[in-house]
Amino acid sequence: MGLLLSSAHQVLDFACRKAYQRYIQQANQLELVQRNKLRGFLTQHISQNLSYEQFTKKFPLTRYANWKSKIEQSRSSGKNSLGPGRIVRFQPTSGSSEAIKFIPYTQLFLDELDEAIGLWLCNLYREHPKLKNSTHYWSVSWLPESQRKLLENSNLNDDSALLNVSKRVLSKITQSVPTEIALASSAEDAMFATAVYLVADKHLGMISVWSPTFALQLLDIIQQSKDEIIHVLKYGNWQREGLNFLAVPKSCEQCYKLQQLDLTDASAWKKLWPKLSLISSWDTASAAQWAEQLQQRVDGVAFEGKGLWATEGVVTIPFADRFMLSYQSHFYEFLLQDTNQVVPSWQLKLGDIVSPVITTGSGLIRYVIDDELEVMDFYEQVPCFQFLGRKMTVDLVGEKLDHNAAVQILAQFKQDDYLPISILGIEQCSDKKPHYILLSEGNVDKQPTAQDLDRSLKQYFHYELARDLGQLDEPEVKHVDDAWDYYKTLAMNNGMIEGNIKPEPLKKMKTKII
């Protein structure tokens, strides 16, 4: 096992080295690289050779609504209506305009993502050389349970699917958890199976997830289901029918180790996984407090924050202790917050607050990603960013609810004598996990139940997934006589100044309702 594992990492590192060297060597040629990226895209997709200036005049900024009909046509016909090349799969996500969106992934687009993930991997090997002698867990993506019957199994992918074929084969040798876990009948079973595989793996060296709450949830499952995990590892059989399709990991050594450990002790995890040297997750904006909890939960392990990687494309990658533009992947522009002007990456200045605009091999042209970034530094000519958060969005654990969703839900429940005022995202609560509360006034007999509110919120892909995974608790409905006065009091208790408070359909609050 040790020799095969080490050899696979060595070959994978070598395969990723070109991306690493290309990024370093061309970092002082940003404009040249980006103009060449644009030229290549235009030649392939519209058979025209336009300058950047001509490109901006010909093509307006777009969002998902501008592409929806072509994407739906491609899904129904099996032919790519967005450009050349076969669509490998449609990756589901949610966003500001749709409860569920399907992003087309072509081979050209996957090659662009491979460029970024290859650079990230190569950099990891240099920063954390012990990773070459250990297994890794890269989070496996699964769907909300209501969506599984609508989609092909090929959409239940894992992070390694972003690599090219040869790197993917190598990465499978180094992975701690099989991707087939994503096919479990429920998210609860998938989470449990993931926990079992992780505990069984004494060679585990890296845990890479997107949301830190997801990693915290896995640690909770190991702690709370300790006896059941011990049974699986000892006897080699699942006690859950929904997992019978999966091979059962068996390890008497890890079973005994788990029996002896007090998992409330932050040092216990390193005893369970002696080779664990790195945990990677989001650690900025709304994820910051959960990332801090994760670091406190596991002693003696390095931590790395994630860059900005949307379903529609990659923007930044962690590199040299900064989050740098993945300038070798797509063609990038940026929407300036203060002037609403769009500028190419090579015209950014220190302190600019921007939203990314990407043109990618998937066929999406000048596609706006509604995240806010600040230019913090430059590596040679390459801008480095800090992620500030989603625009007009509440994101407690990665569910990405936005104002448009809240407006639609409030309108759904509004009646002549019943008025829903706002949906409040509660970040910290002594008796519940993060959750949402519908604040309303009027005829109490007309108010929806918590289950009604939950069903409406579950129209949104990432909210439903967060509920399936147990990251969000069931929402509540709070009825008061004067909702606006109550809203103001709550906002002031959360640190806002009364004169600056305005009613919003969706609002994040740090603490529980008063």
Side-chain angles (χ1 to χ4, degrees), residues 5 32 63 154 156 214 252 261 270 295 322 334 371 373 379 394 447 470 476 499:
L5 190 60
L32 176 64
R63 286 178 167 82
S154 60
L156 299 173
F214 182 83
C252 292
L261 290 174
K270 273 290 280 185
Q295 293 173 67
R322 287 170 280 190
F334 293 89
D371 290 318
L373 306 171
Y379 174 83
V394 170
Q447 75 176 26
E476 301 173 15

Side-chain angles (χ1 to χ4, degrees), residues 110-144:
L110 286 170
D111 290 344
E112 293 174 350
L113 299 183
D114 175 67
E115 186 78 22
I117 204 169
L119 169 63
W120 173 69
L121 260 179
C122 197
N123 189 56
L124 278 184
Y125 285 135
R126 278 151 182 74
E127 296 287 329
H128 306 278
K130 290 181 180 178
L131 293 179
K132 288 187 178 181
N133 297 305
S134 65
T135 54
H136 302 170
Y137 170 57
W138 296 1
S139 59
V140 175
S141 306
W142 49 77
L143 300 171

Side-chain angles (χ1 to χ4, degrees), residues 163-405:
L163 293 165
N164 67 27
V165 176
S166 58
K167 292 177 191 170
R168 200 179 313 155
V169 171
L170 289 166
S171 74
K172 295 300 181 188
I173 299 172
T174 68
Q175 290 302 297
S176 179
V177 177
T179 60
E180 292 78 19
I181 276 179
L183 301 174
S185 57
S186 70
E188 182 183 351
D189 281 351
M191 289 286 283
F192 176 76
T194 300
V196 172
Y197 270 95
L198 291 176
V199 172
D201 185 6
K202 67 178 181 180
H203 299 289
L204 182 67
M206 179 174 75
I207 296 174
S208 174
V209 298
W210 291 105
S211 173
T213 60
F214 182 83
L216 288 166
Q217 186 87 350
L218 284 172
L219 299 182
D220 286 343
I221 290 169
I222 295 171
Q223 198 168 326
Q224 295 161 7
S225 303
K226 184 176 178 179
D227 291 342
E228 187 180 355
I229 293 173
I230 287 170
H231 175 93
V232 174
L233 295 181
K234 186 175 183 180
Y235 297 106
N237 61 73
W238 299 111
Q239 294 183 290
R240 304 183 183 210
E241 198 173 305
L243 294 175
N244 286 337
F245 72 97
L246 268 178
V248 188
K250 188 176 179 181
S251 172
C252 292
E253 179 184 348
Q254 289 298 96
C255 173
Y256 177 76
K257 203 183 291 183
L258 183 61
Q259 281 178 312
Q260 306 305 310
L261 290 174
D262 174 10
L263 297 178
T264 61
D265 183 348
S267 65
W269 301 101
K270 273 290 280 185
K271 295 172 184 174
L272 182 63
W273 299 306
K275 292 188 175 183
L276 185 62
S277 57
L278 180 68
I279 296 176
S280 172
S281 81
W282 288 323
D283 69 341
T284 51
S286 60
Q289 62 164 321
W290 306 111
E292 186 177 342
Q293 283 188 32
L294 181 56
Q295 293 173 67
Q296 292 171 354
R297 187 86 173 265
V298 184
D299 260 357
V301 177
F303 184 89
E304 181 184 77
K306 295 283 190 191
L308 173 54
W309 195 306
T311 308
E312 294 89 344
V314 56
V315 181
T316 66
I317 43 177
F319 191 85
D321 295 321
R322 287 170 280 190
F323 296 103
M324 296 161 55
L325 181 66
S326 183
Y327 73 97
Q328 295 279 356
S329 294
H330 317 306
F331 179 73
Y332 299 92
E333 300 170 90
F334 293 89
L335 184 60
L336 296 172
Q337 184 192 66
D338 55 353
T339 64
N340 233 23
Q341 177 188 0
V342 179
V343 298
S345 56
W346 59 86
Q347 290 182 7
L348 287 174
K349 301 187 299 296
L350 195 65
D352 282 344
I353 296 177
V354 297
S355 293
V357 179
I358 61 175
T359 297
T360 77
S362 67
L364 300 179
I365 299 175
R366 304 197 82 195
Y367 187 97
V368 180
I369 296 177
D370 285 313
D371 290 318
E372 285 189 345
L373 306 171
E374 182 177 358
V375 181
M376 303 297 291
D377 195 5
F378 288 87
Y379 174 83
E380 300 288 354
Q381 295 176 1
V382 181
C384 308
F385 300 91
Q386 179 182 352
F387 177 72
L388 301 179
R390 293 281 296 171
K391 281 185 177 178
M392 305 291 284
T393 297
V394 170
D395 196 7
L396 302 177
V397 298
E399 73 281 6
K400 305 178 186 177
L401 280 184
D402 60 46
H403 281 216
N404 289 340

Side-chain angles (χ1 to χ4, degrees), residues 370-511:
D370 285 313
D371 290 318
E372 285 189 345
L373 306 171
E374 182 177 358
V375 181
M376 303 297 291
D377 195 5
F378 288 87
Y379 174 83
E380 300 288 354
Q381 295 176 1
V382 181
C384 308
F385 300 91
Q386 179 182 352
F387 177 72
L388 301 179
R390 293 281 296 171
K391 281 185 177 178
M392 305 291 284
T393 297
V394 170
D395 196 7
L396 302 177
V397 298
E399 73 281 6
K400 305 178 186 177
L401 280 184
D402 60 46
H403 281 216
N404 289 340
V407 167
Q408 291 176 26
I409 292 171
L410 293 175
Q412 174 187 338
F413 293 130
K414 182 180 179 181
Q415 299 187 46
D416 289 340
D417 54 350
Y418 174 75
L419 184 61
I421 296 294
S422 181
I423 297 175
L424 308 175
I426 307 301
E427 200 166 33
Q428 299 170 9
C429 181
S430 59
D431 58 341
K432 292 182 73 171
K433 295 176 183 176
H435 60 285
Y436 285 84
I437 294 178
L438 174 65
L439 180 62
S440 63
E441 64 182 27
N443 187 344
V444 68
D445 295 329
K446 299 289 183 70
Q447 75 176 26
T449 65
Q451 292 75 26
D452 293 333
L453 177 58
D454 200 31
R455 276 192 295 272
S456 293
L457 289 167
K458 279 184 174 179
Q459 297 174 65
Y460 295 89
F461 180 91
H462 286 106
Y463 175 89
E464 185 184 2
L465 187 55
R467 289 283 287 124
D468 286 350
L469 296 176
Q471 294 173 294
L472 288 174
D473 257 327
E474 185 178 63
E476 301 173 15
V477 178
K478 178 73 174 179
H479 187 274
V480 294
D481 291 334
D482 187 339
W484 168 232
D485 183 66
Y486 189 94
Y487 181 99
K488 283 195 298 182
T489 304
L490 181 62
M492 285 188 285
N493 284 356
N494 276 267
M496 292 188 70
I497 300 170
E498 183 172 9
N500 294 338
I501 298 170
K502 60 181 180 181
E504 297 182 48
L506 183 66
K507 182 73 176 174
K508 181 165 74 172
M509 300 288 183
K510 281 281 184 186
T511 56

